Amino acid sequence: MSIHTDIDGPNPSGLSAARSASFMASYLDALTLVERLHRLLLDVIKDEFERVAILEINAVQALLLFNVGDNEVTAGELKTRGYYQGSNVSYNLKKLVELGYMHHQRSEIDRRSVRVRLSEKGRNVRGIVSKLFTTHADGLVDRDVLDHEGLEDITASLRRVERYWTEQIRYIY
């Protein structure tokens, strides 16, 4: 990949063109990796649910149940927390209610708003995902893939990128 670094004029940070191209290549590689890891996570969850013969929900829905946990939330709150984007939250919540994984109740204050919480069936799914994540966390440590400090470093870096991107959305556009 060839990256032309002076498209917008001189490089204001004073970095050499080679270093800027190198950083850009690493940045694009990291973006690809984050996307691939998300897809792999969904595949891992899907495989686990196939193994335990729960086929009526997909990996996104199982992850949604995990993230709701013991809370009672609206679709808007799930979007605000950054777990999900767009209309697929409402679709997945509706599906999970229809399948008996969640209970729903209209808000007394705003009749348009629906609050959802896990049913017993939903809590069972949450438990399966939680056990899967615990097994993976143990495996990462046991096989020396990642230790606590390394994980904290990755998480801190990703949070800085998240803040940067959030600022770009809020303040630039």
Side-chain angles (χ1 to χ4, degrees), residues 8-44:
D8 296 319
N11 187 337
S13 66
L15 297 177
S16 70
R19 185 167 172 204
S20 294
S22 174
F23 181 86
M24 189 62 173
S26 294
Y27 176 63
L28 295 174
D29 188 39
L31 293 177
T32 301
L33 185 57
V34 167
E35 183 181 4
R36 192 172 343 147
L37 285 171
H38 177 69
R39 285 194 311 268
L40 278 170
L41 172 63
L42 295 177
D43 286 345
V44 164

Side-chain angles (χ1 to χ4, degrees), residues 56-57 61 64-65 74-75 78 87-104 106 114-116:
E56 65 185 353
I57 62 171
Q61 292 164 341
L64 192 147
L65 291 169
T74 66
L78 287 170
S87 63
N88 62 349
V89 176
S90 298
Y91 167 81
N92 283 316
L93 289 176
K94 180 180 175 197
K95 215 46 185 157
L96 290 167
V97 167
E98 288 172 2
L99 293 170
Y101 290 94
M102 300 188 104
H103 298 294
H104 73 289
R106 290 229 173 261
V114 176
R115 299 195 68 75
V116 295

Side-chain angles (χ1 to χ4, degrees), residues 69-94:
D70 294 328
N71 301 309
E72 185 174 289
V73 297
T74 66
E77 289 168 339
L78 287 170
K79 286 187 234 176
T80 302
R81 291 178 189 178
Y83 293 137
Y84 305 95
Q85 299 293 320
S87 63
N88 62 349
V89 176
S90 298
Y91 167 81
N92 283 316
L93 289 176
K94 180 180 175 197

